[in-house]
Amino acid sequence: MFELFGITPQGLVAQLLVGLINGSFYAILSLGLAIIFGLLNVINFTHGAQYMLGAFISWIGLTQLGNWLGMPDLSVNYWVSLFLSPLIVGLVGIGIEKVMLKRLYHLDHLYGLLLTFGLALVIEGVFRHWYGISGESYSIPEALQGGIQIESLELFLPKYRIWVICASLIVCFASWYLIEKTKLGNYLRAGTENPKLLQALGINVPLMVTLTYGFGAALAAFAGVLAAPVFQVNPL
């Protein structure tokens, strides 16, 4: 059988698939980070903690929420978590921007970096105290269990991994289209260049800034929900 540098075709495809899956998580993570930094000039060190929050909120909804509310049969499934977790983390991000970050925009970028880095340590520390670092498992939704066998390559492709790649492509394209091809995206980009002029035209620039940060945080949480069934959910 043909081998390239000692790697069989099956092994090469498998490694490419692993790289593509990991790249899908990083693509959404980096997209949210790039949006926040590119449009707000904030070095958001809280981004990783927001990624972790997305995974933990989905896990809590699936396994803990019913017990907390005294209804053991109640749980929030994966598909609901894909929308609910980014929404919750996005609202948390909006709160961070409104209460803390907006006070630092006129200062050196280092202050924003220190603030977000400190917040990340606080969030991680709280979840380490509650849940430790051993990790919690999150089951793959029933519709995405199993996989596809490709006989010609002797390769088994898990359905969930295929879903992760497709979902990441859709989210990345939708975010690009929103920023580059819509009127709202034009306002966002104009606000980074000349916010005073844009505000003089009647656009609520502070609200746009707040929503932009919330959107970036929501993207991190979305990546966290996608990653939860692949990696163990833990504060690290």
Side-chain angles (χ1 to χ4, degrees):
M1 183 177 292
F2 173 75
E3 294 187 6
L4 180 64
F5 300 111
I7 303 176
T8 64
Q10 296 93 328
L12 181 61
V13 173
Q15 290 300 316
L16 289 174
L17 180 62
V18 170
L20 192 57
I21 293 167
N22 291 335
S24 298
F25 298 129
Y26 291 128
I28 299 179
L29 270 175
S30 62
L31 178 62
L33 194 64
I35 288 173
I36 292 174
F37 180 71
L39 298 179
L40 307 184
N41 291 319
V42 173
I43 304 172
N44 185 35
F45 262 71
T46 315
H47 208 66
Q50 291 161 346
Y51 167 74
M52 179 267 290
L53 277 176
F56 254 109
I57 289 171
S58 63
W59 175 79
I60 290 170
L62 183 67
T63 63
Q64 304 291 311
L65 185 61
N67 294 330
W68 290 358
L69 299 179
M71 296 181 286
D73 294 333
L74 177 66
S75 65
V76 179
N77 65 34
Y78 172 84
W79 302 107
V80 176
S81 292
L82 274 178
F83 295 94
L84 187 60
S85 292
L87 177 62
I88 294 173
V89 176
L91 291 174
V92 171
I94 286 174
I96 291 173
E97 197 281 335
K98 292 290 287 184
V99 175
M100 302 178 189
L101 276 177
K102 77 172 187 178
R103 305 175 187 277
L104 304 179
Y105 289 146
H106 64 287
L107 301 176
D108 189 274
H109 296 325
L110 181 62
Y111 289 92
L113 185 153
L114 292 173
L115 172 65
T116 55
F117 182 68
L119 282 173
L121 292 179
V122 170
I123 295 170
E124 179 187 320
V126 168
F127 277 81
R128 288 182 68 176
H129 175 72
W130 286 346
Y131 298 105
I133 60 173
S134 59
E136 306 288 348
S137 61
Y138 188 96
S139 59
I140 295 174
E142 186 176 349
L144 297 175
Q145 292 178 1
I148 301 171
Q149 183 73 42
I150 302 177
E151 298 294 344
S152 59
L153 291 176
E154 299 178 7
L155 186 65
F156 181 79
L157 295 178
K159 291 180 181 178
Y160 188 78
R161 269 63 171 183
I162 298 173
W163 155 249
V164 167
I165 295 170
C166 294
S168 300
L169 289 173
I170 292 170
V171 170
C172 289
F173 176 79
S175 300
W176 170 84
Y177 187 87
L178 174 67
I179 294 172
E180 295 292 335
K181 300 297 182 180
T182 66
K183 183 179 291 186
L184 176 60
N186 290 335
Y187 289 156
L188 287 173
R189 288 182 284 114
T192 63
E193 297 293 332
N194 198 330
K196 291 183 179 179
L197 177 60
L198 193 64
Q199 198 157 2
L201 296 174
I203 306 300
N204 191 337
V205 175
L207 177 61
M208 288 174 48
V209 169
T210 300
L211 293 178
T212 299
Y213 187 86
F215 179 63
L219 285 175
F222 185 83
V225 179
L226 286 180
V230 178
F231 307 110
Q232 283 193 321
V233 179
N234 70 77
L236 301 180

